[in-house]
Amino acid sequence: MQGTLPHNNQAPCLKVEGISKLFRVGGHRVSALEDISFEVRSGEVLGVLGPSGCGKTTLLNIIAGFLPHDKGRVLMNRRPVTGPGPERGVVFQEDALFPWLTVAENVGFGLRNGDGKAGRRRKVRNMLEMVGLEGYEHYLPRSISGGMKQRVALARVLVLGPAALLMDEPFAALDAQTRADMHELLIALQRRLEQTVVFVTHDLEEAIKLADRVLVMEKSPGRIHRDFAVDLPRPRDLDSMEFLELKRSMYQSLCGQEPSGPKIT
Ligand SMILES: Nc1ncnc2c1ncn2[C@@H]1O[C@H](COP(=O)(O)OP(=O)(O)OP(=O)(O)O)[C@@H](O)[C@H]1O
Ligand SMILES: [Mg+2]
């Protein structure tokens, strides 16, 4: 692999301080988030886990700057978040690629003119190589698989060198093997770029496999139930005692708040 990587060398740090969010639906008020506070260190991978409706997407959208909040504040590198910004790259469950642009054009779409045409092309080529899509530059999204589309979505965000990568159930729509491949890819990219990542998932195993820390949320109102440190060596052995014990603790943490049983995959 050649070339320099798009990486912001500043020490990125995300702080969420006392965030609350209320939705008004008809005559009802839904407390989607209540007094959410946590920090993400530079280069840390944070997983956010919780039952359906506990406010995971709402939280991510507030951090991304897509959604206003009622109380508290979000700080990115000590600056308050007031809207979307290039230092926070977002990947959704369903890819949002431009169907009329090729893979390479999709990845290069957000790059500024400052790099020059050759510079932009080099960045796109490096990024496509990093996500394993060399040779697919000229394909249109409709001609590639779901897993490949998510690789393009990831490449399109990472090529901009965001301080934090925000992902909302990015692999949930993929089959098990493709999801496992994407896990490996994300782990490799994260290590290489020392990328700060916040990802939302329903999947306990995915959370423990990928994250340095996992926030388990509870619902009605959406709050942080527990903050788990995942102090397991990498690559993580999914069959090790430590992995299984942590999985059981997290499962209990989820069950403790939902007697009927949480949705766990
Ligand atoms: N735009 C909206 N208007 C009204 N209520 C909303 C809106 N968005 C979310 N909510 C409500 O806020 C709560 C949290 O929703 P959110 O989508 O953040 O949950 P989630 O944890 O992401 O769920 P899931 O795991 O199913 O994706 C839910 O009760 C939901 O109905
Ligand atoms: Mg959601």
Side-chain angles (χ1 to χ4, degrees):
M1 237 175 271
Q2 298 172 347
T4 52
L5 298 169
H7 181 55
N8 184 344
N9 280 326
Q10 285 178 313
C13 180
L14 172 68
K15 259 184 155 184
V16 173
E17 294 181 346
I19 288 291
S20 294
K21 175 73 184 175
L22 205 67
F23 286 112
R24 285 183 180 80
V25 189
H28 301 283
R29 286 148 40 113
V30 177
S31 179
L33 296 172
E34 195 176 275
D35 198 19
I36 301 279
S37 297
F38 61 90
E39 283 185 26
V40 187
R41 291 194 319 272
S42 170
E44 191 174 30
V45 181
L46 180 80
V48 181
L49 189 74
S52 189
C54 72
K56 303 182 294 297
T57 295
T58 303
L59 176 61
L60 209 76
N61 281 338
I62 288 172
I63 297 171
F66 297 149
L67 194 66
H69 49 275
D70 300 324
K71 282 190 199 159
R73 58 180 189 163
V74 177
L75 299 172
M76 189 76 213
N77 290 330
R78 298 201 178 91
R79 289 209 195 95
V81 166
T82 53
E87 77 287 359
R88 284 156 289 133
V90 187
V91 173
F92 301 98
Q93 178 176 337
E94 299 295 336
D95 74 86
L97 304 180
F98 299 115
W100 60 88
L101 296 182
T102 65
V103 163
E105 286 164 349
N106 263 287
V107 173
F109 186 81
L111 288 173
R112 310 247 167 214
N113 290 333
D115 293 316
K117 208 171 173 184
R120 287 201 301 276
R121 215 180 270 154
R122 194 175 54 246
K123 280 189 175 181
V124 169
R125 205 173 43 236
N126 284 341
M127 206 63 238
L128 285 174
E129 204 180 316
M130 283 178 64
V131 299
L133 282 178
E134 58 275 61
Y136 290 94
E137 292 83 351
H138 305 299
Y139 281 60
L140 286 170
R142 67 167 177 267
S143 309
I144 59 175
S145 70
M148 289 159 86
K149 284 182 197 167
Q150 279 309 67
R151 285 173 191 252
V152 178
L154 205 50
R156 188 173 62 170
V157 166
L158 290 179
V159 79
L160 302 176
L165 173 65
L166 311 175
M167 302 197 289
D168 191 0
E169 304 203 44
F171 314 131
L174 305 175
D175 65 84
Q177 183 56 54
T178 309
R179 196 181 320 150
D181 292 344
M182 290 303 289
H183 290 162
E184 295 313 314
L185 175 67
L186 184 70
I187 290 166
L189 289 172
Q190 193 278 330
R191 287 185 80 171
R192 181 144 185 223
L193 300 171
E194 295 174 15
Q195 182 69 56
T196 308
V197 181
V198 179
F199 73 98
V200 161
T201 182
H202 268 116
D203 185 336
L204 263 170
E205 209 160 80
E206 179 172 272
I208 306 175
K209 194 171 163 190
L210 300 178
D212 299 310
R213 252 173 69 218
V214 177
L215 300 181
V216 174
M217 292 182 66
E218 60 189 23
K219 65 190 276 189
S220 308
R223 279 196 288 232
I224 294 174
H225 187 251
R226 262 190 79 176
D227 185 340
F228 287 88
V230 187
D231 289 326
L232 302 179
R234 294 178 187 271
R236 297 205 164 133
D237 176 1
L238 275 61
D239 296 318
S240 72
M241 280 295 274
E242 294 79 9
F243 194 101
L244 295 172
E245 267 168 26
L246 191 56
K247 192 173 161 186
R248 199 174 47 150
S249 302
M250 274 189 207
Y251 180 72
Q252 282 170 348
S253 173
L254 282 164
C255 284
Q257 46 179 320
E258 237 192 22
S260 57
K263 183 183 168 192
I264 296 171
T265 52

